[in-house]
Amino acid sequence: MPRALAAAFGILAFAAAAQAADAPKPGARLERQGDEIVVAGQLFHTSTPVVLWTDPGGYDAYRVDPHFSAPDKKKADLPATRFGVRKAGLSEAELKQVQSGGWDLPLLQRVVDQFVIHYDVCGTSQRCFRVLHDDRGLSVHFMLDVDGTIYQTLDLKEAAWHATIANGRSIGIEIANMGAYPPGRTESRDRWYEKDAQGLVKIKLPGTPEANGIHNPSALLAPARNEPVTGKIRGETLEQYDLTKAQYDALTKLTATLCTVFPKLKCDYPRDSSGKLRLDTLSRPEFDAYQGVLGHYHVQTNKTDPGPAFQWDLLIDGARSQMSQK
């Protein structure tokens, strides 16, 4: 064999051996970084803490039995599963493919085009999951706790039961916040807030942060604005304490991630003819045509979340900025 050819084979053999040495070994553990979400079985980074349903301390919406009580305490009237198959926009052949062979990412990207934002009126993600999963037999893809921790309870390929007509094409998130109330009827909300000696309003948990499942007990648990915000949703005057700064930061990064992974999900909110935020429910034709981020009240006439305190421009402008850096 010519010397040059032998040298070339030697280089290739060395490269192959080096690659084999770096290759994963059977049984080797692959560590998550802790910021990933799951989309059709694939992991995508968000750059903010995410606890999956498979992680210790996670919330598993695939679970049939109640999360917080013994299996024999299961309510007989609750469904065995709390989610369904996404069917929006699928042909019969595609639906059969999904039901028999599962989702691939391109097909899911064609179907998902909405991100619905809720407040949970529960105060913490732990309480939210208890109400949704154990008590009501419902589900949501994400929960956002007061400390900014995101919990994913289902793969985004599933149709979570969170927003009626939006379920088949949307992703949903429940944000830990006690919600919006008419002036003078805020007793339920006010039990969750108190002022310290310096006049700073903080969230008053019913017990220690650890007992409430707070992932980061050292986080500042305080609304981003110190006073309740008054505004109107569908003409009704409501008062609400804002989200925490940690919640806005996490939600901004998650929104940027979702709008990147799902090209049809536009990073914007429903606007009126002058370009301002819509404060009413979309008509059915408007809803059918809409692709982007929206509140629960944009979907249903009996809802007011995420409420008048929610800072839509802070979210959308921040998410767009995150996307432009990619």
Side-chain angles (χ1 to χ4, degrees):
M1 179 183 297
R3 183 177 300 177
L5 186 58
F9 273 113
I11 293 172
L12 290 174
F14 177 80
Q19 184 177 9
D22 294 336
K25 303 296 189 296
R29 181 173 177 174
L30 178 64
E31 297 286 350
R32 285 202 309 116
Q33 293 185 17
D35 74 326
E36 301 93 334
I37 61 172
V38 181
V39 185
Q42 300 184 41
L43 296 176
F44 292 86
H45 293 291
T46 66
S47 73
T48 193
V50 177
V51 179
L52 300 179
W53 68 93
T54 54
D55 291 332
Y59 298 103
D60 185 358
Y62 289 103
R63 177 176 175 150
V64 174
D65 294 323
H67 182 93
F68 294 98
S69 56
D72 59 352
K73 299 296 184 181
K74 177 181 174 183
K75 294 184 178 181
D77 58 342
L78 290 183
T81 58
R82 296 152 173 84
F83 59 94
V85 177
R86 294 190 185 274
K87 300 179 181 179
L90 294 182
S91 66
E92 289 187 12
E94 289 169 334
L95 180 57
K96 184 177 180 180
Q97 170 193 324
V98 168
Q99 291 173 328
S100 61
W103 287 92
D104 60 36
L105 183 59
L107 183 57
L108 188 62
Q109 289 171 321
R110 204 191 78 199
V111 170
V112 173
D113 60 1
Q114 293 181 344
F115 182 29
V116 181
I117 298 177
H118 308 256
Y119 53 52
D120 62 12
V121 199
C122 291
T124 66
S125 292
Q126 182 187 82
R127 291 166 63 95
C128 177
F129 195 73
R130 181 193 295 272
V131 171
L132 278 181
H133 186 271
D134 288 12
D135 297 342
R136 299 184 62 192
L138 300 175
S139 59
V140 71
H141 299 97
F142 297 107
M143 298 184 300
L144 175 54
D145 219 338
V146 288
D147 66 342
T149 299
I150 294 173
Y151 295 90
Q152 184 177 357
T153 75
L154 292 164
D155 191 314
L156 300 192
K157 66 186 176 65
E158 317 292 4
W161 295 346
H162 66 102
T164 60
I165 59 174
N167 291 345
R169 55 191 287 207
S170 71
I171 298 162
I173 187 167
E174 290 278 1
I175 301 173
N177 180 278
M178 286 307 294
Y181 301 82
R185 296 167 56 186
T186 61
E187 297 86 358
S188 297
R189 179 204 70 190
D190 293 341
R191 287 195 293 267
W192 282 77
Y193 297 91
E194 62 181 358
K195 284 189 176 182
D196 63 16
Q198 289 72 42
L200 178 65
V201 174
K202 294 184 179 180
I203 296 171
K204 182 181 179 182
L205 297 173
T208 65
E210 291 82 0
N212 284 273
I214 303 302
H215 194 73
N216 181 15
S218 63
L220 176 61
L221 304 185
R225 289 176 282 184
N226 202 51
E227 300 297 332
V229 177
T230 301
K232 291 187 177 182
I233 303 294
R234 292 198 318 278
E236 180 182 7
T237 300
L238 300 168
E239 290 183 1
Q240 178 191 15
Y241 275 109
D242 206 347
L243 310 187
T244 68
K245 292 181 179 179
Q247 286 177 316
Y248 277 118
D249 182 64
L251 183 61
T252 296
K253 292 173 180 175
L254 177 62
T255 301
T257 302
L258 295 177
C259 291
T260 300
V261 174
F262 294 97
K264 294 175 68 174
L265 176 52
K266 299 174 183 176
C267 193
D268 203 359
Y269 52 72
R271 299 177 184 267
D272 61 20
S273 58
S274 64
K276 295 182 179 179
L277 170 70
R278 286 278 296 266
L279 296 172
D280 59 346
T281 303
L282 303 182
S283 68
R284 186 55 189 262
E286 289 172 329
F287 171 82
D288 289 344
Y290 183 76
Q291 297 175 315
V293 185
L294 67 170
H296 201 182
Y297 75 82
H298 290 122
V299 182
Q300 295 176 235
T301 58
N302 62 336
K303 300 297 181 180
T304 58
D305 41 333
F310 189 79
Q311 300 185 56
W312 284 97
D313 287 325
L314 178 66
L315 171 65
I316 296 303
D317 292 346
R320 287 175 176 174
S321 177
Q322 292 277 335
M323 295 170 70
S324 69
Q325 297 173 17
K326 295 184 183 298

